[in-house]
Amino acid sequence: MAVAYERIADTLRQSIRAGQLRPGDRLPSEAKLAEEFQRSVPTVRDALRVLRDEGLIEKQHGRGNFVRRPRTTAVRTNLRHQWEKSRARGPVAERARTGATEHDTGLQVGDLVFHASYREIVADENLSEAFALPAGTPLLERSYRTRHTAESAPFSLVTSYLVHGLIAANPDLLDETKEPWPGGSQSQLYTVGIELDRIEERVTARPPTPEEAAELELPPGTSVLVLRKTSIDIKERVVGVSDVILPGDRTEILFTTPLERW
Amino acid sequence: MAVAYERIADTLRQSIRAGQLRPGDRLPSEAKLAEEFQRSVPTVRDALRVLRDEGLIEKQHGRGNFVRRPRTTAVRTNLRHQWEKSRARGPVAERARTGATEHDTGLQVGDLVFHASYREIVADENLSEAFALPAGTPLLERSYRTRHTAESAPFSLVTSYLVHGLIAANPDLLDETKEPWPGGSQSQLYTVGIELDRIEERVTARPPTPEEAAELELPPGTSVLVLRKTSIDIKERVVGVSDVILPGDRTEILFTTPLERW
DNA sequence: GAGTGGTCTAGACCACTGT
DNA sequence: CAGTGGTCTAGACCACTCC
């Protein structure tokens, strides 16, 4: 190994992988490591940054560097879509009892705190392409933040778009104070006569923007899952688009693909 | 903004977002930026590292720092599973003509270079849980690397596991020189009488290990998509597990969920 | 060879944590 | 308060790119 900071990182990485340093353990202080490896403190810090970027350690200002514990993950499954559709026409009481997120996570309604805000916009190039409608088409933009009661950071950032012209028939749908709507968006769409045929979800991963990192309280060096959900109705129209940002180290997305019998 | 390197990063980030610095543009040299902002070069480098971690710029040794272009993405869709199942019993000639990856990407068979290696192992704790079988159960581990002819880095790292006892009836399935098998693994499983009922795919994101970063030629600061695919047969047995590592900045996973009619 | 980023030093001072 | 990591300086020398 040519460079000093990589040699130091390799040595520490091996200690972690071999279990000599266990999750939660504190590493020797940066000054101690510098002395041990006969290098300057900034060089040791370069090595520690490598390990932090790999998600192996966590830096805590004033306390030390710690071996990271694997995160517990929240699950989001695509079975939620059929579940939501089946209930969309059901009685309000049943719809209000629990939502799709509670269905995925096994939590109760009271365990989640929910915030929504609405805004009327027009389609830019990106959304125009997603909806297959001309740029400038009026849309309703809805922003959602959902978090566990016990935690300060939301576990997802959702920005959802609906075609204004398709939903204006029900003024309640334009009113953010009616949120959370019992039964979710498929129930909302049902009130204006829209039935979904299928849902397409595109998943990629990238580093968070500083804004996303702050809102999700992401430690440096973690990534976000980006999910774009497209709702297509039985007339083959794109009636809804949602962008969902999920913390990569806390989230698992589960997709089940049923296969036809031979 | 309290700290110097964040102020510098913010200024440059805004220039990029506003389009004053466009994709492909070279930033001023680190020495120039240091002079411009009245800070030392290492401080400027701290700022540039922030932007690199956000995926906004790319460092090129000896050339400069460049605004990054958004990557073109390869798509992987779950429609491939039904497509593969439908062909699994078809004539060899048709199966050999094109595979699931070509189906997803729209490429020809000759555009892809394929490498496989087999190894016989026993289930560790992780795999034992995934298969719902006792630890120590004999498995066949298969490693695949697939890349475009024109590129040096593979676009996925696949490690796939099959239950040895279920496939040993066909010795060809234990022979890596028979790869690539026309029609893929569902066709392989068909030769030992296994039919799949469904496929479950779990997706998370995390920073790459150094080994993954090297093999996929990932620039620092990018993440990988981790996909665990579980194949369940019509007798509700887990008959296959695959771990797929995909470069987060080059890959899009598309899942379609069909919904039943009201 | 000129210009660029990559690595590294040997300190300084500040901010945070826990006693 | 002592100990920790966070920020920053003002250089040095090396490795790479391009002319």
Side-chain angles (χ1 to χ4, degrees):
Chain A
M1 191 55 58
V3 280
Y5 79 95
E6 284 182 7
R7 257 195 315 101
I8 300 175
D10 282 349
T11 306
L12 295 172
R13 190 187 298 114
Q14 271 199 306
S15 298
I16 294 170
R17 286 190 178 169
Q20 289 150 29
L21 288 166
R22 311 180 68 84
D25 281 1
R26 214 203 72 181
L27 274 59
S29 79
E30 301 181 348
K32 284 247 172 51
L33 288 171
E35 192 187 1
E36 201 174 307
F37 286 97
Q38 294 288 305
R39 294 286 145 174
S40 71
V41 169
T43 299
V44 167
R45 290 177 57 76
D46 283 347
L48 294 173
R49 199 182 51 244
V50 168
L51 299 178
R52 192 209 58 186
D53 287 348
E54 290 168 16
L56 286 176
I57 67 166
E58 187 176 344
K59 319 205 86 189
Q60 293 186 29
H61 192 171
R63 302 222 311 131
N65 295 292
F66 296 83
V67 180
R68 210 158 155 210
R69 317 175 179 280
R71 298 295 294 265
T72 54
T73 58
V75 179
R76 173 193 167 103
T77 142
N78 68 331
L79 300 173
R80 68 191 348 238
H81 305 313
Q82 180 61 54
W83 183 84
E84 211 176 270
K85 175 158 182 177
S86 305
R87 292 158 36 102
R89 296 175 305 166
V92 174
E94 186 196 328
R95 298 201 315 259
R97 230 185 51 240
T98 179
T101 302
E102 291 87 348
H103 180 241
D104 276 9
T105 55
L107 296 166
Q108 307 299 311
V109 169
D111 295 339
L112 294 174
V113 185
F114 181 88
H115 180 257
S117 67
Y118 284 20
R119 205 159 61 99
E120 300 191 7
I121 63 162
V122 296
D124 61 12
E125 194 182 339
N126 171 4
L127 288 167
S128 147
E129 193 177 338
F131 277 101
L133 288 172
T137 304
L139 301 174
L140 178 67
E141 179 192 88
R142 310 179 298 172
S143 298
Y144 297 96
R145 301 290 180 270
T146 312
R147 63 174 175 85
H148 290 107
T149 316
E151 294 183 2
S152 63
F155 56 77
S156 70
L157 310 177
V158 181
T159 312
S160 170
Y161 303 92
L162 295 172
V163 181
H164 196 282
L166 287 178
I167 56 167
N170 182 354
D172 282 356
L173 297 186
L174 303 173
D175 180 356
E176 67 186 25
T177 67
K178 303 286 183 189
E179 291 278 1
W181 189 280
S185 18
Q186 291 205 54
S187 198
Q188 292 181 311
L189 291 170
Y190 171 60
T191 69
V192 290
I194 291 174
E195 175 179 1
L196 297 189
D197 173 69
R198 66 182 182 279
I199 287 176
E200 293 182 354
E201 292 171 289
R202 288 173 177 73
V203 181
T204 58
R206 58 165 172 76
T209 65
E211 294 81 2
E212 290 164 353
E215 231 184 327
L216 294 170
E217 294 177 14
L218 293 176
T222 59
S223 15
V224 292
L225 282 164
V226 182
L227 185 150
R228 166 158 285 195
K229 172 179 137 185
T230 308
S231 302
I232 296 150
D233 83 344
I234 57 176
K235 295 176 184 160
E236 285 296 316
R237 298 176 299 190
V238 174
V239 296
V241 171
S242 297
D243 289 319
V244 185
I245 308 293
L246 300 157
D249 61 343
R250 276 182 268 162
T251 314
E252 180 178 280
I253 313 184
L254 167 60
F255 289 95
T256 303
T257 308
L259 300 173
E260 291 164 19
R261 291 296 164 96
W262 279 329
Chain B
M1 190 58 54
V3 280
Y5 78 95
E6 284 183 7
R7 256 194 316 100
I8 299 174
D10 282 348
T11 305
L12 294 172
R13 191 187 298 112
Q14 272 199 307
S15 299
I16 293 170
R17 285 189 178 170
Q20 289 150 29
L21 287 167
R22 311 179 69 82
D25 281 1
R26 215 204 71 182
L27 274 61
S29 79
E30 301 181 348
K32 283 246 174 51
L33 289 170
E35 192 187 359
E36 201 175 307
F37 286 97
Q38 294 288 305
R39 295 285 144 176
S40 71
V41 169
T43 299
V44 167
R45 289 177 57 77
D46 283 347
L48 294 173
R49 199 182 49 243
V50 168
L51 299 178
R52 194 209 56 185
D53 286 349
E54 290 168 15
L56 286 176
I57 67 166
E58 186 176 344
K59 319 204 89 193
Q60 293 187 27
H61 193 173
R63 305 220 311 130
N65 294 291
F66 295 83
V67 180
R68 211 160 153 207
R69 317 172 179 280
R71 298 297 294 263
T72 54
T73 59
V75 179
R76 174 194 165 103
T77 142
N78 69 331
L79 300 173
R80 67 190 350 238
H81 306 313
Q82 181 61 56
W83 183 83
E84 209 175 270
K85 175 159 181 177
S86 306
R87 294 159 33 101
R89 295 175 306 165
V92 175
E94 185 195 329
R95 299 202 314 260
R97 230 184 51 240
T98 177
T101 302
E102 292 87 350
H103 181 241
D104 276 9
T105 54
L107 296 167
Q108 307 299 311
V109 168
D111 295 339
L112 294 173
V113 185
F114 181 88
H115 180 256
S117 65
Y118 284 22
R119 205 159 62 98
E120 300 192 6
I121 63 163
V122 297
D124 60 12
E125 195 182 337
N126 172 6
L127 288 167
S128 147
E129 194 177 334
F131 276 102
L133 288 172
T137 304
L139 300 175
L140 177 67
E141 179 191 270
R142 310 179 297 172
S143 299
Y144 297 95
R145 300 292 179 269
T146 312
R147 63 174 176 85
H148 290 106
T149 316
E151 293 182 3
S152 63
F155 56 78
S156 71
L157 310 176
V158 181
T159 312
S160 169
Y161 304 92
L162 296 172
V163 181
H164 196 282
L166 287 178
I167 55 166
N170 181 353
D172 282 355
L173 297 185
L174 304 173
D175 180 357
E176 68 187 24
T177 66
K178 303 287 184 190
E179 291 279 2
W181 189 279
S185 23
Q186 291 204 53
S187 198
Q188 292 181 310
L189 291 170
Y190 170 60
T191 68
V192 290
I194 293 174
E195 175 179 1
L196 297 188
D197 173 69
R198 66 183 182 279
I199 287 175
E200 293 181 356
E201 293 172 288
R202 288 174 176 74
V203 181
T204 58
R206 58 165 172 76
T209 65
E211 294 80 3
E212 290 164 351
E215 231 185 326
L216 294 170
E217 293 176 13
L218 294 175
T222 58
S223 14
V224 292
L225 282 164
V226 182
L227 186 151
R228 166 159 286 195
K229 171 179 138 185
T230 308
S231 302
I232 296 150
D233 82 344
I234 58 178
K235 294 176 182 159
E236 285 297 314
R237 298 176 299 189
V238 175
V239 296
V241 171
S242 297
D243 290 320
V244 185
I245 309 292
L246 300 158
D249 60 344
R250 275 181 270 162
T251 314
E252 180 177 279
I253 314 185
L254 167 61
F255 289 94
T256 303
T257 308
L259 300 173
E260 292 165 20
R261 290 296 163 95
W262 279 329

